[in-house]
Amino acid sequence: MAIRTTWKIVHSCGHEVTHNLSDRAADRRAGFARWLEGRDCSVNCTIPASLVTE
């Protein structure tokens, strides 16, 4: 069974980004991916999370 190293993250701003998490310990990648989902995708993101509607 292969160990997953890339995660498709839908950030709180609505952007989808594939992150390579191979630099993190395998048992911590899923938790870090969940943490990333609650953050904007970058400092230069032009869509504040408070304006995203679903």
Side-chain angles (χ1 to χ4, degrees):
M1 183 171 158
I3 297 174
R4 187 173 175 185
T5 58
T6 58
W7 298 76
K8 183 177 175 183
I9 306 296
V10 180
H11 291 277
S12 62
C13 61
H15 287 124
E16 292 183 13
V17 180
T18 300
H19 290 274
N20 180 351
L21 302 181
S22 62
D23 61 335
R24 301 208 171 261
D27 62 338
R28 296 178 181 246
R29 291 177 190 153
F32 185 67
R34 284 190 298 273
W35 179 83
L36 281 174
E37 287 179 343
R39 305 298 181 265
D40 289 344
C41 59
S42 71
V43 175
N44 298 320
C45 185
T46 59
I47 305 173
S50 61
L51 298 178
V52 176
T53 59
E54 296 193 39

